[in-house]
Structure formats: structure tokens, C-alpha cells
Amino acid sequence: MKPRISIEPSILSADFTRLGQQAKEAEDAGVEGIQIDVMDGHFVPNLTFGPGVVKALRKSVALFLDAHLMIDNPHSFLEEFALSGADRIIVHEEVCKDLPTVLKAIKKLKVEAGVAINPETPVTTVERVLDAADCVQVMTVHPGFSGQRFMEDQLSKIQRLRQEIDQRHLKASIVVDGGIDAKTAPLAVKSGATVLVAGSSVYNQSAPVAQNVLTLRNSIAATVAAIGSD
Ligand code: DX5
């Protein structure tokens, strides 16, 4: 069956002087959601935005807002992000001693719960929560900055997750985040990804957002068709 692939531009690469407009451009380009890269300067060596930006974007677009918390101690911020209008909160396995409890706490706030794993974190660390998580996000860069090179050695993790989720008939989607462009998107989809987070390939100086989103969509069309015909 043909997989439905979602594209979620990451606003880390957007023009911060017109964030709402850039989110709207993505919405008008027909993307399925926006990923908001929340960074605390501890868990990752960069500092970005908090619940206030999610709240502002909630007013600008009707899109699915995916808050990717690259922060230590995410548990203390769950409610704020849920109240700000996030539709999903993604926490990092590396900072959750009790991941099942954190995922449960997110769902209690009536938002989707996701878990992300860094390149050095094995898939085995999240297998125990695949039934509770709405998504697993495989980082294909070391988190912190956009414009980095896609790490092809992470493809086997995506394949392993795809196999596990399909074998256990689970619903969790597989999100891939980092270095996604027209060349790497088909690799991620072929491996089993269903959500593509793309920053610098969507928000850049070379072409408008709509054109970049279309380029991404076209780059995976043949791969999606091939999977559908399996
Ligand atoms: C990296 C962020 C990614 C990044 C994606 O720390 O989590 O979402 O912004 O940007 P690109 O697509 O340029 O790698």
C-alpha cells in the first residue's frame, strides 16, 4: 500500500524577521505540518525558541505544529508547550530516564507524543515504547544546527524501525530529521520514513518555499509509487 509521506519544514532555517509569513508560505505550499526546533544550549550547543513562538505560530497557521524539544529536563516544559498550541511534543530518549512516563504525561495533555534518537543512540532504546509513541524521530544529523550533511549510516535504523512497527502492526510514524533534500529524501522514504523534516532545503535563498516543497515532493514520487506497488 502506498505510504502517505508528510513534509514538515523546520522553521530553524526560516527568516526569523517574518516567521509567521514563512509558516504561511509552507501552509500554502501544502505541507502537512511545521517542526519547531526548541533548543536550550545544554542538550544541544544552540539556543532557539520556546513556547511563545509555538503560540505565535498557532495564530498564523492551521498546520500541525510539531515541537521538537532538544532540551534537558523536557518533563518540566510539557504543559507549557501543550498550552501554547503544539499538536505533538517530541522529547529526546537521551534525556528521559523514564521514557514511558514522559510519553504518558504528554498524552495526558491531549497532544501526540514522540521520541527522538540521536545518531549515536541505538533503536533498541525505544523499542519498548513503540506501542505508546505516536512517532519515533531518527536524527540524521547531530542536532543543533540546520544545513548539515545527511548521515547515511542512520538508514539502517529507519529500516529496523519500519520492520519492527510493521511486524507489530503499530501505528507510530517514522520521522527523519536532518539533511533532508531532493537527494536524501528518497533514501529516507525507501528505508521506511513517513515524515520528512526539512529545514534548509525548504527555507533558502535559491528558490521560494512553494518551489522547494514541490521539488521535495517530486523527488520521492517514484519511491512512493514503487513501495505502493510492492
Ligand atoms: C537540527 C534540527 C533539524 C534541522 C533541519 O538540529 O533538529 O530540524 O533544523 O535542518 P536541515 O534540514 O537543514 O538539516
Side-chain angles (χ1 to χ4, degrees):
M1 190 182 72
K2 237 165 105 167
R4 198 173 143 46
I5 307 297
S6 298
I7 293 179
E8 286 190 10
S10 136
I11 55 160
L12 190 61
S13 308
D15 175 351
F16 289 179
T17 64
R18 49 195 192 91
L19 212 41
Q21 199 189 322
Q22 292 259 266
K24 193 82 189 67
E25 285 166 23
E27 184 171 56
D28 295 345
V31 302
E32 286 75 11
I34 291 254
Q35 190 158 102
I36 297 130
D37 294 300
V38 179
M39 301 182 187
D40 64 0
H42 292 273
F43 179 65
V44 291
N46 195 359
L47 195 56
T48 56
F49 8 74
V53 168
V54 179
K55 200 163 168 207
L57 288 172
R58 186 70 291 162
K59 285 191 228 129
S60 325
V61 290
L63 280 175
F64 184 88
L65 296 183
D66 213 352
H68 175 197
L69 305 190
M70 288 164 274
I71 64 174
D72 287 336
N73 192 18
H75 208 144
S76 355
F77 297 91
L78 301 180
E79 189 164 5
E80 262 187 275
F81 277 99
L83 290 174
S84 67
D87 296 293
R88 176 158 67 200
I89 298 174
I90 298 176
V91 294
H92 267 263
E93 187 281 334
E94 298 85 2
V95 288
C96 294
K97 284 189 202 59
D98 182 354
L99 190 52
T101 304
V102 178
L103 295 174
K104 220 180 276 155
I106 297 171
K107 294 189 139 178
K108 210 158 149 239
L109 295 163
K110 305 269 175 278
V111 299
E112 285 192 22
V115 55
I117 47 174
N118 282 338
E120 63 278 2
T121 305
V123 165
T124 46
T125 59
V126 292
E127 281 173 349
R128 73 191 194 289
V129 295
L130 284 182
D131 52 346
D134 294 296
C135 83
V136 179
Q137 179 157 311
V138 176
M139 296 305 297
T140 40
V141 293
H142 290 288
F145 300 92
S146 58
Q148 299 180 75
R149 211 177 137 71
F150 182 86
M151 297 170 70
E152 292 206 17
D153 62 355
Q154 299 301 304
L155 290 172
S156 55
K157 283 163 79 172
I158 302 165
Q159 291 152 13
R160 165 92 186 255
L161 275 168
R162 180 77 279 142
Q163 215 176 23
E164 180 90 13
I165 288 167
D166 290 353
Q167 264 163 11
R168 292 165 56 185
H169 305 293
L170 300 175
K171 297 190 315 308
S173 50
I174 301 175
V175 185
V176 177
D177 178 13
I180 290 287
D181 60 21
K183 280 199 202 70
T184 59
L187 302 176
V189 170
K190 191 157 187 269
S191 297
T194 46
V195 181
L196 302 173
V197 174
S200 51
S201 61
V202 170
Y203 291 115
N204 58 47
Q205 306 303 323
S206 2
V209 170
Q211 187 179 325
N212 288 333
V213 170
L214 191 60
T215 302
L216 263 184
R217 284 246 196 257
N218 291 340
S219 78
I220 59 172
T223 309
V224 171
I227 297 171
S229 61
D230 279 359

